[in-house]
Amino acid sequence: MSQTLNVDDLQLTVRRSARRKTIQITVERDGALILSAPPQVEEQVLRQFVQEKSFWIYSRLAEKERLQRAIPTKEYVDGEGFLYLGRSYRLKLMDEQDVPLKLTAGRFRLRRSELGRAREHFIRWYSEHARHWLAARVKAYQERMEVSHSGVRVQDLGYRWGSCGKGAQLYFHWKTILLPKHIAEYVVVHEMVHLHEPHHTPEFWLRLERAMPDYAQRKAWLAEHGIEVEGI
Protein backbone atom coordinates (compact mmCIF):
# COMPACT_ATOMS: atom_id res chain seq x y z
CA MET A 1 0.00 0.00 0.00
CA SER A 2 1.17 3.55 -0.73
CA GLN A 3 0.10 6.92 0.61
CA THR A 4 0.92 10.54 -0.14
CA LEU A 5 2.90 12.67 2.30
CA ASN A 6 3.08 16.46 1.86
CA VAL A 7 5.98 18.27 3.53
CA ASP A 8 6.04 22.00 2.77
CA ASP A 9 5.79 22.09 -1.05
CA LEU A 10 7.14 18.56 -1.51
CA GLN A 11 4.80 15.68 -2.27
CA LEU A 12 6.11 12.16 -1.68
CA THR A 13 4.62 8.75 -2.32
CA VAL A 14 5.16 6.62 0.80
CA ARG A 15 5.82 2.93 0.24
CA ARG A 16 6.00 0.72 3.31
CA SER A 17 7.48 -2.75 3.38
CA ALA A 18 7.99 -5.21 6.21
CA ARG A 19 11.30 -6.17 4.62
CA ARG A 20 12.68 -2.63 4.79
CA LYS A 21 14.77 -1.66 7.84
CA THR A 22 15.61 1.94 6.97
CA ILE A 23 14.00 5.06 5.49
CA GLN A 24 15.05 6.06 1.99
CA ILE A 25 14.10 8.83 -0.45
CA THR A 26 14.33 8.22 -4.17
CA VAL A 27 13.99 10.91 -6.84
CA GLU A 28 12.61 9.23 -9.94
CA ARG A 29 13.69 10.32 -13.41
CA ASP A 30 10.42 12.21 -13.88
CA GLY A 31 10.98 14.08 -10.61
CA ALA A 32 8.52 11.98 -8.58
CA LEU A 33 9.57 11.51 -4.95
CA ILE A 34 9.36 8.05 -3.36
CA LEU A 35 9.73 7.63 0.42
CA SER A 36 10.37 4.00 1.35
CA ALA A 37 9.97 3.03 5.00
CA PRO A 38 9.27 0.14 7.41
CA PRO A 39 5.61 -0.25 8.41
CA GLN A 40 6.05 0.84 12.03
CA VAL A 41 7.64 4.25 11.40
CA GLU A 42 5.28 7.04 12.45
CA GLU A 43 4.34 9.85 10.10
CA GLN A 44 6.04 12.49 12.25
CA VAL A 45 9.33 10.62 11.96
CA LEU A 46 8.91 10.50 8.18
CA ARG A 47 8.23 14.24 8.07
CA GLN A 48 11.34 14.98 10.10
CA PHE A 49 13.42 12.75 7.82
CA VAL A 50 12.15 14.58 4.73
CA GLN A 51 12.87 17.98 6.30
CA GLU A 52 16.43 16.91 7.15
CA LYS A 53 16.94 15.76 3.54
CA SER A 54 15.16 18.74 1.96
CA PHE A 55 18.35 20.42 0.67
CA TRP A 56 19.41 17.20 -1.05
CA ILE A 57 15.91 16.73 -2.51
CA TYR A 58 15.70 20.26 -3.92
CA SER A 59 19.22 19.93 -5.36
CA ARG A 60 18.31 16.74 -7.18
CA LEU A 61 15.04 18.18 -8.49
CA ALA A 62 16.81 21.30 -9.77
CA GLU A 63 19.44 19.22 -11.54
CA LYS A 64 16.82 17.03 -13.21
CA GLU A 65 14.88 20.08 -14.36
CA ARG A 66 18.06 21.59 -15.85
CA LEU A 67 18.86 18.40 -17.73
CA GLN A 68 15.32 17.97 -19.02
CA ARG A 69 15.33 21.48 -20.46
CA ALA A 70 18.53 20.66 -22.32
CA ILE A 71 17.16 17.58 -24.09
CA PRO A 72 16.33 18.23 -27.75
CA THR A 73 13.74 16.12 -29.52
CA LYS A 74 14.75 14.27 -32.65
CA GLU A 75 13.88 15.70 -36.07
CA TYR A 76 14.98 12.65 -38.14
CA VAL A 77 16.98 14.63 -40.65
CA ASP A 78 20.16 13.75 -42.54
CA GLY A 79 23.23 13.90 -40.33
CA GLU A 80 21.35 13.79 -37.01
CA GLY A 81 23.04 11.63 -34.37
CA PHE A 82 21.39 8.63 -32.69
CA LEU A 83 22.91 6.73 -29.77
CA TYR A 84 23.58 3.01 -29.66
CA LEU A 85 25.59 1.58 -26.74
CA GLY A 86 27.02 5.00 -26.00
CA ARG A 87 28.19 5.84 -29.52
CA SER A 88 26.47 8.34 -31.78
CA TYR A 89 25.68 7.23 -35.33
CA ARG A 90 24.53 9.73 -37.93
CA LEU A 91 21.28 9.25 -39.81
CA LYS A 92 21.13 8.94 -43.58
CA LEU A 93 17.79 9.04 -45.38
CA MET A 94 17.50 6.52 -48.21
CA ASP A 95 15.19 6.68 -51.21
CA GLU A 96 15.25 2.89 -51.48
CA GLN A 97 16.11 0.25 -48.89
CA ASP A 98 15.11 -3.37 -48.17
CA VAL A 99 14.02 -2.62 -44.57
CA PRO A 100 12.67 0.60 -43.00
CA LEU A 101 15.67 1.09 -40.70
CA LYS A 102 19.08 -0.47 -40.24
CA LEU A 103 22.54 0.33 -38.91
CA THR A 104 25.21 -0.37 -41.47
CA ALA A 105 28.62 1.05 -42.43
CA GLY A 106 28.57 3.31 -39.37
CA ARG A 107 25.24 4.95 -40.17
CA PHE A 108 21.60 4.54 -39.27
CA ARG A 109 19.79 4.35 -42.59
CA LEU A 110 16.08 5.16 -42.71
CA ARG A 111 13.88 4.75 -45.77
CA ARG A 112 12.60 8.22 -46.64
CA SER A 113 9.06 6.97 -47.20
CA GLU A 114 8.97 5.87 -43.51
CA LEU A 115 9.72 9.30 -42.04
CA GLY A 116 6.22 9.52 -40.59
CA ARG A 117 6.91 6.38 -38.53
CA ALA A 118 10.58 7.08 -37.82
CA ARG A 119 10.29 7.05 -34.02
CA GLU A 120 8.32 3.80 -34.13
CA HIS A 121 11.00 2.17 -36.28
CA PHE A 122 13.80 3.34 -33.99
CA ILE A 123 12.02 2.00 -30.90
CA ARG A 124 11.45 -1.35 -32.61
CA TRP A 125 15.11 -1.52 -33.71
CA TYR A 126 16.42 -0.56 -30.27
CA SER A 127 14.10 -3.03 -28.53
CA GLU A 128 15.17 -5.93 -30.71
CA HIS A 129 18.87 -5.25 -30.25
CA ALA A 130 18.41 -4.60 -26.52
CA ARG A 131 16.83 -8.03 -26.04
CA HIS A 132 19.85 -9.81 -27.50
CA TRP A 133 22.51 -7.67 -25.85
CA LEU A 134 20.94 -7.55 -22.38
CA ALA A 135 20.16 -11.29 -22.36
CA ALA A 136 23.81 -11.98 -23.19
CA ARG A 137 25.00 -9.79 -20.30
CA VAL A 138 22.59 -11.50 -17.89
CA LYS A 139 23.91 -14.88 -18.99
CA ALA A 140 27.50 -13.70 -18.50
CA TYR A 141 26.86 -12.68 -14.88
CA GLN A 142 24.31 -15.19 -13.60
CA GLU A 143 26.73 -17.99 -12.69
CA ARG A 144 29.20 -15.81 -10.78
CA MET A 145 26.31 -14.06 -8.99
CA GLU A 146 24.61 -17.38 -8.22
CA VAL A 147 21.21 -16.28 -9.45
CA SER A 148 18.60 -17.74 -11.75
CA HIS A 149 15.85 -15.89 -13.58
CA SER A 150 12.76 -16.80 -15.53
CA GLY A 151 13.33 -14.49 -18.47
CA VAL A 152 14.56 -11.16 -19.80
CA ARG A 153 12.01 -8.73 -21.21
CA VAL A 154 12.49 -5.36 -22.89
CA GLN A 155 9.72 -2.78 -22.90
CA ASP A 156 8.91 0.84 -22.10
CA LEU A 157 9.26 1.12 -18.31
CA GLY A 158 8.46 4.81 -18.16
CA TYR A 159 11.03 6.42 -15.88
CA ARG A 160 12.73 3.23 -14.71
CA TRP A 161 15.79 1.63 -16.30
CA GLY A 162 14.99 -1.83 -15.03
CA SER A 163 12.84 -3.88 -12.73
CA CYS A 164 12.96 -7.29 -11.10
CA GLY A 165 9.42 -8.61 -11.25
CA LYS A 166 7.52 -11.45 -9.68
CA GLY A 167 8.68 -14.90 -10.61
CA ALA A 168 12.31 -13.75 -11.04
CA GLN A 169 11.50 -11.97 -14.30
CA LEU A 170 13.98 -9.27 -15.33
CA TYR A 171 12.62 -6.21 -17.15
CA PHE A 172 14.68 -3.53 -18.88
CA HIS A 173 13.74 -0.29 -20.60
CA TRP A 174 14.56 -0.38 -24.32
CA LYS A 175 16.48 2.87 -23.84
CA THR A 176 19.08 0.96 -21.82
CA ILE A 177 20.68 0.02 -25.15
CA LEU A 178 21.43 3.71 -25.80
CA LEU A 179 23.71 3.91 -22.75
CA PRO A 180 27.46 3.25 -22.89
CA LYS A 181 28.20 -0.46 -22.52
CA HIS A 182 29.62 -0.27 -19.01
CA ILE A 183 26.62 1.77 -17.81
CA ALA A 184 24.07 -0.56 -19.42
CA GLU A 185 25.95 -3.41 -17.77
CA TYR A 186 25.50 -1.68 -14.40
CA VAL A 187 21.73 -1.59 -14.98
CA VAL A 188 21.81 -5.33 -15.70
CA VAL A 189 23.81 -6.25 -12.61
CA HIS A 190 21.75 -3.92 -10.39
CA GLU A 191 18.54 -5.71 -11.34
CA MET A 192 20.16 -9.13 -11.00
CA VAL A 193 21.14 -8.33 -7.40
CA HIS A 194 17.44 -7.77 -6.75
CA LEU A 195 16.97 -11.49 -7.38
CA HIS A 196 18.77 -11.92 -4.04
CA GLU A 197 17.71 -8.70 -2.29
CA PRO A 198 14.35 -7.12 -3.29
CA HIS A 199 15.13 -3.81 -1.59
CA HIS A 200 18.11 -1.45 -1.41
CA THR A 201 19.32 -2.73 1.94
CA PRO A 202 22.98 -2.60 3.04
CA GLU A 203 23.23 -6.25 1.97
CA PHE A 204 22.00 -5.28 -1.50
CA TRP A 205 24.83 -2.77 -1.97
CA LEU A 206 27.39 -5.24 -0.59
CA ARG A 207 26.28 -7.86 -3.11
CA LEU A 208 26.39 -5.29 -5.89
CA GLU A 209 29.90 -4.25 -4.92
CA ARG A 210 31.07 -7.86 -4.92
CA ALA A 211 29.68 -8.37 -8.41
CA MET A 212 30.82 -4.96 -9.73
CA PRO A 213 33.48 -3.28 -7.55
CA ASP A 214 33.25 0.06 -9.38
CA TYR A 215 29.44 0.18 -9.33
CA ALA A 216 29.42 3.53 -7.47
CA GLN A 217 31.12 5.36 -10.35
CA ARG A 218 28.75 3.79 -12.88
CA LYS A 219 25.75 4.59 -10.68
CA ALA A 220 26.85 8.22 -10.37
CA TRP A 221 27.31 8.53 -14.15
CA LEU A 222 23.82 7.16 -14.75
CA ALA A 223 22.27 9.54 -12.22
CA GLU A 224 23.95 12.55 -13.85
CA HIS A 225 23.85 11.68 -17.54
CA GLY A 226 21.16 9.02 -17.97
CA ILE A 227 18.45 11.51 -18.74
CA GLU A 228 20.42 12.71 -21.76
CA VAL A 229 19.22 9.68 -23.76
CA GLU A 230 15.57 10.68 -23.36
CA GLY A 231 15.20 12.67 -26.56
CA ILE A 232 14.24 9.86 -28.94
Side-chain angles (χ1 to χ4, degrees):
M1 294 291 293
S2 63
Q3 65 182 87
T4 299
L5 179 68
N6 293 295
V7 180
D8 297 327
D9 60 344
L10 297 173
Q11 184 176 83
L12 303 94
T13 298
V14 181
R15 295 178 180 168
R16 297 181 182 270
S17 170
R19 302 187 65 174
R20 172 164 286 281
K21 305 300 183 185
T22 59
I23 306 173
Q24 181 182 36
I25 296 174
T26 304
V27 182
E28 301 287 89
R29 287 195 289 155
D30 63 347
L33 302 175
I34 308 298
L35 180 60
S36 303
Q40 70 276 13
V41 178
E42 296 181 355
E43 182 176 314
Q44 185 55 39
V45 176
L46 296 180
R47 288 184 176 276
Q48 183 178 350
F49 183 83
V50 173
Q51 288 170 342
E52 291 173 353
K53 298 289 185 180
S54 61
F55 178 80
W56 177 85
I57 295 171
Y58 286 119
S59 297
R60 292 298 302 274
L61 290 174
E63 179 65 12
K64 287 185 180 294
E65 183 180 357
R66 182 188 69 80
L67 288 172
Q68 285 175 328
R69 286 201 305 269
I71 298 167
T73 56
K74 295 299 185 184
E75 298 179 6
Y76 304 99
V77 296
D78 269 319
E80 190 172 23
F82 288 81
L83 291 171
Y84 174 54
L85 287 174
R87 288 186 58 189
S88 181
Y89 296 87
R90 298 204 176 277
L91 178 65
K92 184 175 179 60
L93 298 179
M94 309 295 293
D95 291 326
E96 295 183 5
Q97 188 166 268
D98 56 340
V99 293
L101 175 69
K102 62 183 176 181
L103 176 60
T104 181
R107 288 231 180 178
F108 274 113
R109 298 171 189 268
L110 175 69
R111 197 160 59 210
R112 197 181 300 272
S113 61
E114 297 294 323
L115 268 172
R117 301 172 60 197
R119 185 173 189 273
E120 177 185 334
H121 287 306
F122 266 95
I123 291 175
R124 184 180 297 115
W125 190 95
Y126 281 133
S127 298
E128 179 183 346
H129 286 75
R131 272 190 291 273
H132 294 294
W133 193 90
L134 294 168
R137 301 319 301 150
V138 169
K139 184 177 180 180
Y141 272 91
Q142 64 184 16
E143 185 173 344
R144 76 176 86 165
M145 293 178 64
E146 299 180 339
V147 296
S148 59
H149 64 92
S150 58
V152 175
R153 295 188 180 182
V154 173
Q155 58 192 61
D156 190 329
L157 296 179
Y159 292 96
R160 303 181 71 181
W161 290 109
S163 175
C164 181
K166 292 182 179 180
Q169 190 83 229
L170 294 170
Y171 297 88
F172 297 100
H173 200 302
W174 59 264
K175 288 183 180 179
T176 304
I177 202 66
L178 279 68
L179 298 168
K181 290 182 180 180
H182 70 294
I183 304 300
E185 191 172 60
Y186 163 73
V187 175
V188 169
V189 174
H190 183 113
E191 296 308 327
M192 291 179 71
V193 176
H194 279 308
L195 293 169
H196 280 296
E197 297 289 332
H199 303 292
H200 294 133
T201 60
E203 178 61 25
F204 172 91
W205 299 110
L206 285 173
R207 283 184 179 273
L208 181 53
E209 186 174 27
R210 285 198 293 269
M212 183 173 279
D214 66 342
Y215 86 88
Q217 291 94 323
R218 305 190 199 204
K219 180 176 182 287
W221 190 99
L222 185 62
E224 183 176 355
H225 300 288
I227 202 166
E228 295 170 7
V229 307
E230 293 295 309
I232 295 298

